Amino acid sequence: MTRTALLVTHTGRRRSTEHARTVAADLIQAGFEVRVVAEEADDLELPGVTPVSLLGAAEGAEIVFALGGDGTFLRAADLARPAKAPLLGINLGKVGFLAEAEIDDLDVAVRDIVDRNYTVDERLTLDVRAEFEGGPVIESWALNEVSVEKGERAQMLELLVDVDGRPLSRYGCDGVVCATPTGSTAYAFSAGGPVVWPEVEALLLVPISAHALFSRPIVTAPTSTFTITVDPFTTLAVLCCDGRRVYDLPPGARVTVQRGALPVRVVRLRARHFTDRLVAKFGLPVHGWRGNRR
């Protein structure tokens, strides 16, 4: 039976396309059918690959490769999630927090996939629904975070936040971030939220620049539901999912965020403690502290 892999990369970077060619050649030699998204096929110029449409690109695929930074990983997650296909990130960008392997490990990573020497984790996601009078219902999802933010730079946004059907607080703010543990090191972290280990099942709510006494981040149960209502007399707002899908929200809009029905399945090549990932990605100072005596 033919094994199938979907290859997603950053077509705007020559270095990324060169590495994609290497991965495709190695997989084809190992007996894989290698798919690429049809719209990117001409830019990639990968011989022997199969162009496929975006819709259902990962259906039946054994694995999805994301070669690039976190943006490429999130784009690949859009394709892998509905097909329940495992997703392997190989970092060709700067931080690449979501990636499992670095560019120096490329050959080893491909060989591990060919040999089926890997495990798969499931990452919690978010489903979001936005409704407003006279407009269409917006439905989307996120792996990292869903944010409701002000649409006009000069004006403050007024939001009411409910948790599990009960009002929590009203904020005059730049917005709020609803995040997963996976997304706790992304936008939520930059806004002052805590780092949450991926194995922890929880949801995060982080106000952005809130003019309120109670403006600290909160961590809730994974079964919780956040409802964010844009004040009817406030400015325009925008809904943003993973920094990729952006929708305009008029005053009075109501946004509901809860645990996603489908997780993202992420490939793990070998056991590695999350603490080590934090230290490596953020360059944390673990050496040379005053307690280290010569």
Side-chain angles (χ1 to χ4, degrees):
M1 184 176 178
T2 302
R3 302 170 70 185
T4 304
L6 173 65
L7 195 58
V8 181
T9 191
H10 194 313
T11 57
R13 293 178 180 169
R14 181 179 177 182
R15 181 166 170 260
S16 296
T17 55
E18 290 174 350
H19 290 305
R21 292 188 187 99
T22 300
V23 171
D26 289 346
L27 289 173
I28 291 171
Q29 186 176 6
F32 276 76
E33 176 198 5
V34 178
R35 301 175 184 170
V36 296
V37 176
E39 290 81 356
E40 302 172 358
D42 290 341
D43 293 329
L44 291 172
E45 296 180 347
L46 300 176
V49 300
T50 304
V52 293
S53 63
L54 273 174
L55 185 62
E59 285 297 333
E62 178 180 325
I63 193 156
V64 177
F65 281 83
L67 278 72
D70 285 342
T72 302
F73 188 95
L74 291 171
R75 184 160 57 90
D78 271 342
L79 306 176
R81 180 182 183 239
K84 301 180 181 179
L87 175 58
L88 172 63
I90 298 177
N91 181 34
L92 306 183
K94 296 179 181 178
V95 178
F97 208 101
L98 296 171
E100 170 66 7
E102 300 297 320
I103 185 57
D104 293 339
D105 306 320
L106 183 60
D107 292 340
V108 175
V110 174
R111 187 164 59 248
D112 283 341
I113 297 303
V114 171
D115 294 340
R116 293 189 172 91
N117 184 27
Y118 63 90
T119 59
V120 177
D121 293 342
E122 290 192 346
R123 293 295 184 92
L124 184 151
T125 61
L126 299 173
D127 283 342
V128 58
R129 179 183 176 93
E131 301 173 271
F132 49 92
E133 186 175 352
V137 173
I138 298 168
E139 293 185 319
S140 190
W141 77 283
L143 172 60
N144 274 349
E145 75 278 312
V146 171
S147 63
V148 176
E149 304 176 54
K150 63 182 183 180
E152 298 180 9
R153 180 178 176 83
Q155 298 189 36
M156 184 183 299
L157 187 61
E158 296 284 344
L159 300 175
L160 173 64
V161 176
D162 295 358
V163 178
D164 297 329
R166 304 300 301 165
L168 173 69
S169 184
R170 185 178 295 275
Y171 298 102
C173 58
D174 285 353
V176 295
V177 178
C178 306
T180 66
T182 300
S184 70
T185 53
Y187 195 176
F189 177 77
S190 298
V195 173
V196 179
W197 261 233
E199 295 83 3
V200 176
E201 292 203 335
L203 303 182
L204 288 75
L205 180 82
V206 185
I208 308 171
S209 302
H211 289 253
L213 291 176
F214 185 80
S215 60
R216 294 291 186 265
I218 62 172
V219 180
T220 72
T223 54
S224 289
T225 298
F226 300 142
T227 305
I228 303 160
T229 304
V230 181
D231 191 279
F233 303 102
T234 193
T235 183
L236 292 173
V238 292
L239 170 67
C240 188
C241 302
D242 278 343
R244 291 178 38 77
R245 296 170 293 280
V246 181
Y247 311 91
D248 291 331
L249 296 176
R254 183 182 177 91
V255 179
T256 303
V257 182
Q258 59 188 8
R259 181 176 187 160
L262 283 176
V264 169
R265 305 183 70 221
V266 177
V267 170
R268 288 288 166 248
L269 298 178
R270 52 193 49 83
R272 185 184 183 191
H273 201 283
F274 185 67
T275 305
D276 296 336
R277 183 179 293 270
L278 282 178
V279 170
K281 296 296 184 179
F282 287 148
L284 300 181
V286 295
H287 301 293
W289 190 247
R290 293 175 182 176
N292 293 345
R293 301 293 185 184
R294 291 185 176 179

